[in-house]
Amino acid sequence: MGENFMPWNDGLAIGTPAYAIASSVNARIRVVAGPGTGKSFAMKRRVARLLENGADPATILPVTFTRVAAEDLHRELVGMGVPGCDNLEGVTLHSLALRMLMRNHVLGATGRVPRPLNEFELEPLVCDLMAQHGGKKAVKRLRMAYEAAWARLQQEQPGYALSAEDAAFQADLLSWLRFHEAMLIGEVIPQLYSYLHSNPAAAERSEFAHILVDEYQDLNRAEQGVIALLSGAAEVCIVGDDDQSIYSFKHAHPDGIREWLNINAGADDLGLDDCRRCPTRVVQMANNLIGHNILRPVPRPLVPMPANGVGDVRIVQYQTIAQEVAGVSTLVSGMIANGTPAGDILVLTQSRAFGNPLYEALVAQGVPTKSYYAESELNHMLAKRSFALLKLFANRQDRVALRWLIGIDGNNWHAAGYRRVREHCESTGTTPWDAMVQLESGALHLHHTGAIVLSFREILQALAALEALPDLNAVVDHLFPKGQNETRDIRELAIAVLAEIEDGDRETFVRELAIAISQPEIPTEIQDVRIMSLHKSKGLSSPITIIAGCVQGLLPRPADADLTPAEQAKHLEEQRRLFYVGITRAKAVPHDQKPGTLILTYSQRMPLADALGVGIAPAQQVYGEAILHASQFIQELGPAAPVPIAG
């Protein structure tokens, strides 16, 4: 053991919840832990105990919701000097699935290549299928239904039957994906589930002796099913909080954590309630807010810690959204001018109609700012084109990247011409890349492919320029030049990924970059102001948290009109949980004179077209403007909330 060795129970008082979590030897443990209650600390100590007691690191599987959380776990264990921690790897369930699906014997069994599509790569898929399946909107609807069915494991239920329309679409979708050696992101974990379920003797099902799962309530049925199939003889500890279940749009299954004790008889049921993160006023507001939810099997109010102090809580009302954007950006830049580190400020908003103008306003003021909306690095066509070219540079046989690039400049992605290329490939066994090389050289002739041949020649020229560069750093500089606004964010991310993989090859670099884009990670230590949705803020904390756009129609978003009253009630409760997650990001750090600041802002008016564009159906309209109302959740914060002030 190293000089910095710290025993797992150092500073843990016997009888405390954290000690019970770390020390339990029960084969099944459920931990319900509210926001800021120290679950990461307790889980770290549990892993440390296992390692100190001689558990093989390769048999310990910590499953975290983000890659950053996994890295934080590893870094803290290293800091404790825990033996064997260098060989311990925390993973997300997505990355674990990709790794297992890439094993040769699994590839042989599934017949599917786990190359997930980025969102922007869905466009040619849609165009290739729309003629047979009712147009673009219909294809999108059918694809989403296909992914949803697998996330909910409906296709595994006895008697589940596809409609004729769904079955025809599914056949064509899978044909497209198999030909392009790709997978939908929503297929990755269901594919692993299907493999494990169909192979009871698979080595993967007994690979781990200790499994720890964070944010269990946010997993869907397929994800929870994978955990169950991996944990046959393993010791399992799940951690979560159904008051923070906010991912129904990803088909999260919070009943899984609620019902876990029924399925696992004799399991330990442990909890963490002391909120060590938030100032006391925020804790009181959070308890008042979540208390309005009825669908809470076991209400667990947070316990405030007086040592955190009251905190600095403000609610600010602006006349217009333009004034709100200007006011928040001025407030943030003023804080930084007065010495607040940019990384201490977290700005949350549920709509890019608020987030993007805020981002641009802060950048214009010279404030270091980073946006974390989904695939935000690929907002611009230039970034998409350069990224697709990078994929093809890494692997000439990347059929999706090739399909995207040769189609980008044509109507409907040159679907008609490409269909002839695909038919030729399927009849001859030729790869799309080889077929395009033959077409370009004149060795092959196919009708109506002239336009894609011209596109392919441009691709060849671009690839030749990349091949002439000395290393991957030069490639990044070439594709995403410094100072080019359209590719600014992807350049920054690419440089960060290159630094992490060190001497990685092209394919490793591109694979990690694709994952980082499709599943953006928000580092816990950052030098920039962070702007993101409330969903993205899960797992983060910040001394200053600002939630902008707190208006009815965004927080909460209205439920679909065709939902039943019971379904609408469930929707409202999830929206309330989302706001609960947002306000509990505020972190008090008394010893650093950081009281924990929470600022909620909203506007009274915005242009009607903008309101309708983000899904707000205003109760009143005046001269082309929508009249907005403060979110009902602000009222539900109760007497602990301050009176709004004018901004």
Side-chain angles (χ1 to χ4, degrees), residues 61 63 93 96 100 192 196 203-209 211 224-234 236:
L61 178 66
V63 178
L93 204 53
L96 176 69
M100 286 186 169
L192 178 60
L196 295 171
E204 288 79 9
R205 293 185 58 160
S206 57
E207 190 168 327
F208 303 105
I211 299 175
Q224 292 175 4
V226 165
I227 296 297
L229 292 170
L230 292 174
S231 62
V236 182

Side-chain angles (χ1 to χ4, degrees), residues 29 36 88 160 302 424 445:
I29 307 164
L88 178 74
Y160 178 76
L302 294 172
H424 170 78
H445 299 278

Side-chain angles (χ1 to χ4, degrees), residues 30-79:
R30 184 185 76 167
V31 179
V32 178
T37 55
K39 63 172 181 175
S40 298
F41 171 83
M43 295 298 282
K44 175 186 68 178
R45 294 303 184 93
R46 180 169 182 83
V47 174
R49 179 183 65 79
L50 292 172
L51 289 170
E52 287 178 33
N53 289 347
D56 181 354
T59 67
I60 303 175
L61 178 66
V63 178
T64 61
F65 204 63
T66 66
R67 287 179 293 117
V68 169
E71 292 163 3
D72 287 346
L73 171 67
H74 181 263
R75 183 170 56 253
E76 290 176 8
L77 290 171
V78 170

Side-chain angles (χ1 to χ4, degrees), residues 433-462:
W433 174 267
D434 290 341
M436 290 306 306
V437 169
Q438 292 171 18
L439 281 168
E440 195 276 332
S441 69
L444 174 67
H445 299 278
L446 297 173
H447 292 300
H448 307 296
T449 57
I452 61 177
V453 169
L454 290 176
S455 295
F456 187 66
R457 284 174 181 158
E458 293 178 1
I459 294 168
L460 290 176
Q461 292 173 1

Side-chain angles (χ1 to χ4, degrees), residues 336-486:
I336 293 173
N338 289 328
T340 300
D344 277 4
I345 303 173
L346 177 64
V347 181
L348 309 178
T349 177
Q350 279 306 89
S351 171
R352 294 192 184 196
F354 289 81
N356 287 346
L358 273 172
Y359 173 77
E360 297 299 337
L362 289 168
V363 170
Q365 295 184 48
V367 174
T369 308
K370 175 68 177 170
S371 173
Y372 288 95
Y373 291 100
E375 296 202 358
S376 61
E377 295 85 359
L378 300 173
N379 282 341
H380 299 278
M381 179 56 70
L382 181 58
K384 296 176 185 178
R385 190 187 293 267
S386 296
F387 185 45
L389 187 63
L390 178 63
K391 289 189 175 186
L392 203 55
F393 170 70
N395 176 15
R396 297 295 194 276
Q397 299 301 329
D398 189 320
R399 301 186 178 194
V400 175
L402 177 62
R403 171 70 188 96
W404 196 92
L405 284 165
I406 63 174
I408 180 59
D409 293 320
N411 291 331
N412 294 325
W413 252 261
H414 289 310
Y418 183 75
R419 184 174 64 252
R420 290 171 170 82
V421 175
R422 178 179 168 183
E423 289 170 351
H424 170 78
C425 291
E426 290 178 327
S427 64
T428 61
T430 309
T431 70
W433 174 267
D434 290 341
M436 290 306 306
V437 169
Q438 292 171 18
L439 281 168
E440 195 276 332
S441 69
L444 174 67
H445 299 278
L446 297 173
H447 292 300
H448 307 296
T449 57
I452 61 177
V453 169
L454 290 176
S455 295
F456 187 66
R457 284 174 181 158
E458 293 178 1
I459 294 168
L460 290 176
Q461 292 173 1
L463 290 173
L466 294 178
E467 292 292 352
L469 299 172
D471 54 32
L472 286 175
N473 286 292
V475 169
V476 169
D477 285 339
H478 182 84
L479 289 173
F480 318 118
K482 187 176 182 180
Q484 184 171 268
N485 286 337
E486 295 87 347

